[in-house]
Amino acid sequence: MNPAKRREIFARLQAADPAPTTELHYASPFQLLIAVVLSAQATDKSVNLATRHFFPQHGTAQGLLDLGLERLTDYIKTIGLYRTKARNVIRTCQILVEQYQGEVPHDRAALEALPGVGRKTANVVLNTAFGEPTIAVDTHIFRVANRTGLAPGKNVLEVERKLEKFVPPEYRLNAHHWLILHGRYICIARKPKCPQCGINDLCEYRHKTPA
């Protein structure tokens, strides 16, 4: 795919959604961090349904420590891998309180050192909470990047590196959100909605869904 076509793809995505953002509900960088940790192998909707019951009263690192592991586990039991996630969240809160005065560090290495926080989660926090032009590659973005020919790669890190290289600088801050939403609602896994796709004519997918 040539640079002009990539630029046009993002120009159209921007025109359709000028201010994209995450669908996770949060009111602070800390709440975003916790929501992203909980969203691994789970839907944003399921995470929002759970966090709305404890974020308002316990939406800080100290607040979740005061809530405790048992009660937190009960709140998030509708989310996949909830026991492991609950333990990771409590351990993360302990580290934030002890080392960062309860605040989320604006540093990749520090973020990735937190329990349950990998590269993708760190990228989301750096992008959405701190405004860095990072690109977090999840299953949706991995699929869209490969299917369209935008940034094909064999693994998520390869796709991330290619997107960092190929996405025009003026679109990089929001690229993650545009691609994830496109993959979530249009370029879906089993049967992409090609007739409804605003970048259909630019996409290099060979097996497009007919109208």
Side-chain angles (χ1 to χ4, degrees):
M1 182 176 287
N2 63 55
K5 189 179 286 188
R6 290 192 182 97
R7 186 177 296 276
E8 179 62 20
I9 284 175
F10 284 103
R12 292 188 192 180
L13 293 174
Q14 182 184 59
D17 188 1
T21 189
T22 179
E23 294 186 318
L24 291 168
H25 297 165
Y26 68 98
S28 66
F30 170 77
Q31 291 183 12
L32 175 66
L33 171 66
I34 299 306
V36 178
V37 168
L38 295 178
S39 72
Q41 299 182 46
T43 65
D44 288 359
K45 182 178 179 180
S46 68
V47 173
N48 291 336
L49 288 172
T51 57
R52 69 180 183 181
H53 294 296
F54 61 88
F55 271 176
Q57 288 77 36
H58 304 279
T60 64
Q62 187 60 57
L64 285 186
L65 288 178
D66 294 340
L67 183 66
L69 177 61
E70 186 175 340
R71 291 176 66 195
L72 175 62
T73 303
D74 190 55
Y75 274 125
I76 67 171
K77 63 184 178 183
T78 55
I79 300 174
L81 306 174
Y82 68 96
R83 293 188 187 279
T84 297
K85 290 177 181 178
R87 288 194 295 269
N88 284 337
V89 165
I90 293 298
R91 287 168 57 209
T92 286
C93 289
Q94 290 171 335
I95 293 171
L96 293 180
V97 168
E98 293 169 3
Q99 299 183 24
Y100 302 101
Q101 295 76 51
E103 300 297 321
V104 176
H106 185 176
D107 178 81
R108 175 184 296 281
L111 285 169
E112 291 187 20
L114 297 172
V117 178
R119 184 176 183 85
K120 185 191 74 157
T121 297
N123 276 340
V124 173
V125 173
L126 290 171
N127 177 276
T128 305
F130 298 119
E132 291 195 16
T134 54
I135 299 176
V137 179
D138 68 349
T139 55
H140 296 299
I141 295 178
F142 184 79
R143 179 176 65 255
V144 170
N146 276 285
R147 182 183 275 167
T148 62
L150 182 66
K154 296 179 181 179
N155 54 61
V156 294
L157 185 57
E158 186 176 344
V159 168
E160 180 187 332
R161 296 300 191 207
K162 286 192 175 182
L163 286 170
E164 289 176 343
K165 178 181 179 181
F166 294 144
V167 176
E170 64 268 33
Y171 298 117
R172 204 162 292 155
L173 179 63
N174 290 321
H176 158 80
H177 296 301
W178 284 320
L179 294 176
I180 195 171
L181 292 170
H182 190 69
R184 186 172 290 166
Y185 296 110
I186 300 295
C187 198
I188 57 179
R190 293 188 179 182
K191 190 177 181 181
K193 300 176 181 179
C194 299
Q196 302 172 35
C197 178
I199 59 170
N200 189 319
D201 58 313
L202 303 171
C203 170
E204 298 182 355
Y205 183 49
R206 295 180 181 179
H207 309 290
K208 291 178 182 175
T209 307

